[in-house]
Amino acid sequence: MLTLTKAIYTFLVVYYVIIPAGYLTKWWFFNEDTFEMNGRANILVTGGAGYVGSHTIVELLTNGYNVVAIDNLVNSYAVKDDKPESLKRVEKITGKTIIFYNVDIRDNTALQKLFQTHRFDCVIHFAALKAVGESVQIPLTYYQNNIAGSSTLFEVMKENGVKKVVFSSSATVYGIPQFLPITEEHPTGQGCTNPYGKTKYFVEEILKDVCTSDKEWSVILLRYFNPVGAHESGDIGEDPTGIPNNLMPYLAQVAVGRREKLHIFGNDYDTHDGTGIRDYIHITDLAIGHVQALEKLFEPMFRGCKAYNLGTGRGYSVLEMIDAFAKASGKKIHYEFTKRREGDVAASYADASLAKDELNWTATKDIHDMCKDTWNWQIKNPYGFQKR
Ligand SMILES: NC(=O)c1ccc[n+]([C@@H]2O[C@H](COP(=O)([O-])OP(=O)(O)OC[C@H]3O[C@@H](n4cnc5c(N)ncnc54)[C@H](O)[C@@H]3O)[C@@H](O)[C@H]2O)c1
Ligand SMILES: *[C@@H]1O[C@H](CO)[C@@H](O)[C@H](O)[C@H]1NC(C)=O
């Protein structure tokens, strides 16, 4: 009798407790949401070999995300048929592996194959052409690459049920600032003076429309101010081909002796020293901003399309930057004033409080870190990723 009771009791325990517990444990470990909660989501990074992409991948990997990167290498250095040098360096910094494909975002077939090979939880979309001056010369190339390319990417995402995206936008969508500091409420698309800026504005609008049409999409638009600096290791950094378009890499090349002097566009602006004021942000702070944006996107309640400024909220003039760079490098920086550049504004800086409140993100590095890290990267790699 006692053995029978024992047998029934054992049966009941196994049937109602142990087996369900097994299922629950299995579900717990293999459920996709659990992966996300553990921060182990799979992220597709487009334009991953580039400046912002490579630094962001460092932060993604150190925060436990899995990364697949694609790039067509138009603006990145790689030995033929090999992983881009920037990503090899990222692997060295993090001790982790990145899956890389040479894929163009305009190539629907290649993207389909990619999405069928990997299951992505989110896409961080950096791939774009970004030279303002060049965009005036070859607008169709910019529209084709940045707008048609993005729309192809979103289409493939949609077909494969991937509906989360972080998009690299820019403060350039605000055009000529109507007020300072610039909040996310500032009008966009008015007075975007060049095709590059317009592509950022148009892609933002496309994503807003996509979110309106389908409530399952969650999108974060990150409006960068002026990313500068390099990873503190000095192993990765900004590697412009040809003459740099931006102040910081130009300064670095003057300091290292690759260029004779800096040309300052205008010294008659309505600012304290007459030169233009910009909000510079350290690339590592910017990269961490993307990790914070992901955390936000993965919140169960997050829906729709939201824009956040990524800046420090503080502006520096060109002359202040030169001074800081001279201190960091110990080099004298030669410069001369030339006339204003069309489309440039006197001052632009962010109101960064929304990202602080909603993304729990603030820039922690200052102008000295920006200059010190740029210089460290420059002297370790005088010719960028390409060895001479
Ligand atoms: N660096 C800045 O000052 C700045 C400021 C605001 C916004 N942004 C935006 O941030 C993103 C990244 O900028 P970055 O400074 O790292 O530029 P980057 O040129 O270093 O990186 C962009 C990468 O995208 C790749 N790419 C371009 N077209 C592609 C295509 N059709 N298919 C696949 N890959 C392609 C390039 O090869 C490059 O590696 C861009 O969207 C840019 O517009 C940059
Ligand atoms: C905000 O970020 C800080 C530092 O990165 C962290 O310690 C804190 O836990 C975060 N707060 C929230 C609410 O996530």
Side-chain angles (χ1 to χ4, degrees):
M1 194 60 210
L2 201 67
T3 15
L4 186 62
T5 321
K6 231 181 190 172
I8 292 170
Y9 182 73
T10 312
F11 171 80
L12 289 176
V13 167
V14 169
Y15 197 81
Y16 286 104
V17 180
I18 298 183
I19 294 177
Y23 270 107
L24 265 179
T25 322
K26 197 173 155 205
W27 175 82
W28 178 259
F29 279 112
F30 294 99
N31 186 285
E32 288 179 13
D33 291 338
T34 318
F35 272 91
E36 291 178 4
M37 274 160 43
N38 292 339
R40 289 203 279 133
N42 296 324
I43 313 298
L44 172 64
V45 177
T46 75
Y51 174 47
V52 187
S54 56
H55 287 80
T56 300
I57 294 174
V58 170
E59 303 306 322
L60 290 173
L61 292 174
T62 51
N63 280 281
Y65 289 99
N66 301 317
V67 172
V68 174
I70 61 168
D71 203 296
N72 70 351
L73 305 177
V74 273
N75 200 31
S76 289
Y77 176 72
V79 175
K80 201 175 173 298
D81 296 331
D82 202 359
K83 210 173 258 182
E85 182 61 26
S86 56
L87 293 184
K88 286 194 195 166
R89 305 270 184 102
V90 171
E91 290 181 334
K92 181 186 149 199
I93 292 168
T94 60
K96 305 206 171 157
T97 327
I98 302 155
I99 300 174
F100 173 78
Y101 299 99
N102 185 336
V103 163
D104 193 303
I105 53 163
R106 291 166 295 175
D107 186 343
N108 192 304
T109 317
L111 287 177
Q112 287 289 0
K113 200 175 148 208
L114 179 73
F115 277 76
Q116 278 148 28
T117 311
H118 300 275
R119 181 190 59 78
F120 299 118
D121 299 295
C122 182
V123 177
I124 305 185
H125 178 32
F126 295 108
L129 297 173
K130 64 158 185 178
V132 170
E134 185 186 61
S135 79
V136 178
Q137 308 301 317
I138 47 169
L140 291 176
T141 307
Y142 272 69
Y143 290 132
Q144 169 68 22
N145 195 80
N146 295 6
I147 301 181
S150 297
S151 124
T152 305
L153 171 71
F154 304 150
E155 214 170 283
V156 174
M157 286 175 64
K158 181 179 135 115
E159 279 164 23
N160 290 276
V162 181
K163 296 183 175 179
K164 285 183 172 55
V165 58
V166 177
F167 174 62
S168 287
S169 189
S170 166
T172 187
V173 300
Y174 295 122
I176 298 156
Q178 296 172 9
F179 54 83
L180 291 170
I182 304 173
T183 64
E184 289 80 356
E185 256 87 75
H186 187 288
T188 57
Q190 301 171 14
C192 284
T193 48
N194 58 77
Y196 165 72
K198 287 178 195 169
T199 68
K200 291 289 153 190
Y201 169 67
F202 289 147
V203 174
E204 281 201 358
E205 293 299 300
I206 290 171
L207 284 168
K208 287 178 194 167
D209 291 341
V210 168
C211 287
T212 308
S213 74
D214 178 350
K215 302 292 173 218
E216 285 179 3
W217 280 79
S218 345
V219 175
I220 288 184
L221 312 170
L222 294 178
R223 296 180 180 150
Y224 311 161
F225 279 68
N226 296 269
V228 296
H231 188 263
E232 60 177 1
S233 65
D235 287 333
I236 55 171
E238 189 171 9
D239 183 22
T241 48
I243 301 167
N245 291 298
N246 298 328
L247 173 65
M248 198 63 144
Y250 206 110
L251 265 178
Q253 292 190 6
V254 172
V256 87
R258 254 176 91 178
R259 301 192 188 274
E260 191 201 339
K261 61 184 170 218
L262 175 79
H263 302 272
I264 302 177
F265 303 110
N267 63 342
D268 55 354
Y269 282 111
D270 185 17
T271 60
H272 63 90
D273 62 18
T275 64
I277 288 179
R278 295 291 177 275
D279 185 336
Y280 297 94
I281 171 172
H282 193 290
I283 188 71
T284 300
D285 280 331
L286 188 81
I288 293 169
H290 292 75
V291 176
Q292 294 303 102
L294 275 186
E295 309 262 298
K296 185 82 189 167
L297 273 186
F298 286 136
E299 279 177 10
M301 296 310 285
F302 189 94
R303 283 288 178 281
C305 185
K306 272 222 83 169
Y308 294 98
N309 287 339
L310 293 183
T312 62
R314 169 140 177 22
Y316 286 96
S317 75
V318 178
L319 290 177
E320 286 169 329
M321 290 302 282
I322 293 176
D323 195 47
F325 203 88
K327 284 205 182 82
S329 64
K331 302 278 177 191
K332 190 167 165 43
I333 315 272
H334 299 282
Y335 62 85
E336 74 178 20
F337 295 113
T338 57
K339 64 178 189 351
R340 291 182 182 192
R341 200 164 49 172
E342 206 170 331
D344 275 357
V345 298
S348 161
Y349 47 91
D351 180 328
S353 56
L354 193 66
K356 181 170 194 282
D357 295 344
E358 296 190 4
L359 302 181
N360 190 25
W361 174 91
T362 39
T364 59
K365 291 178 184 277
D366 63 16
I367 185 177
H368 304 290
D369 302 315
M370 299 179 205
C371 293
K372 175 173 63 73
D373 291 339
T374 304
W375 182 238
N376 185 32
W377 150 253
Q378 182 69 55
I379 48 172
K380 278 180 89 172
N381 308 271
Y383 291 93
F385 289 115
Q386 210 160 347
K387 291 186 186 64
R388 288 279 173 112

